[in-house]
Amino acid sequence: MTLPLVTFRPTHLLLSVTQANEVQGHAQSVTEINQEISTDMRLITDLSTQIATAAEEQSAVVEQILQNVETLNSGVGETKLASDNIAESSTELAKLATDLEKETSFFRV
């Protein structure tokens, strides 16, 4: 059995070189695209970290606001109780003043 004779022509060499150059160009393009994707992914990761940090800070601020509202609510309750006591005392004082006026109305100066 004899092997077929392969003929080598200069056009084959030129075609191979051209194809190799095209492959090299495509490989370079892929490398550049991968670098851009990598850069974009780092940017997205940085932005995600910043967003997470901001969300944590907002959560802390909301918690502080909630605590302040609870403190304010407690203070309002205490103020209402004190106001009720003052109103009751004022009513009692007014009654005592009326009683005193009645008792002293008999005396003339």
Side-chain angles (χ1 to χ4, degrees):
M1 172 176 202
T2 57
L3 293 174
L5 182 60
V6 176
T7 57
F8 182 76
R9 296 189 176 133
T11 56
H12 289 141
L13 180 61
L14 183 59
L15 182 61
S16 294
V17 169
T18 302
Q19 288 174 342
N21 286 337
E22 286 177 6
V23 168
Q24 183 180 10
H26 291 307
Q28 180 66 31
S29 295
V30 168
T31 300
E32 290 171 3
I33 290 170
N34 282 338
Q35 288 173 346
E36 289 176 14
I37 290 171
S38 179
T39 299
D40 290 345
M41 288 178 65
R42 279 192 299 274
L43 178 62
I44 289 169
T45 300
D46 291 346
L47 291 174
S48 295
T49 301
Q50 290 176 5
I51 289 169
T53 301
E56 288 176 13
E57 290 173 358
Q58 287 178 348
S59 179
V61 168
V62 167
E63 183 63 32
Q64 288 176 347
I65 290 171
L66 180 60
Q67 289 175 356
N68 290 341
V69 167
E70 289 174 356
T71 300
L72 182 61
N73 188 33
S74 175
V76 167
E78 291 173 9
T79 301
K80 183 189 179 312
L81 182 61
S83 295
D84 291 345
N85 289 338
I86 290 171
E88 186 179 319
S89 295
S90 295
T91 302
E92 183 66 28
L93 186 57
K95 182 181 179 238
L96 290 173
T98 302
D99 290 347
L100 183 60
E101 187 178 333
K102 287 179 186 177
E103 294 292 327
T104 58
S105 67
F106 298 110
F107 301 104
R108 301 248 183 236
V109 184

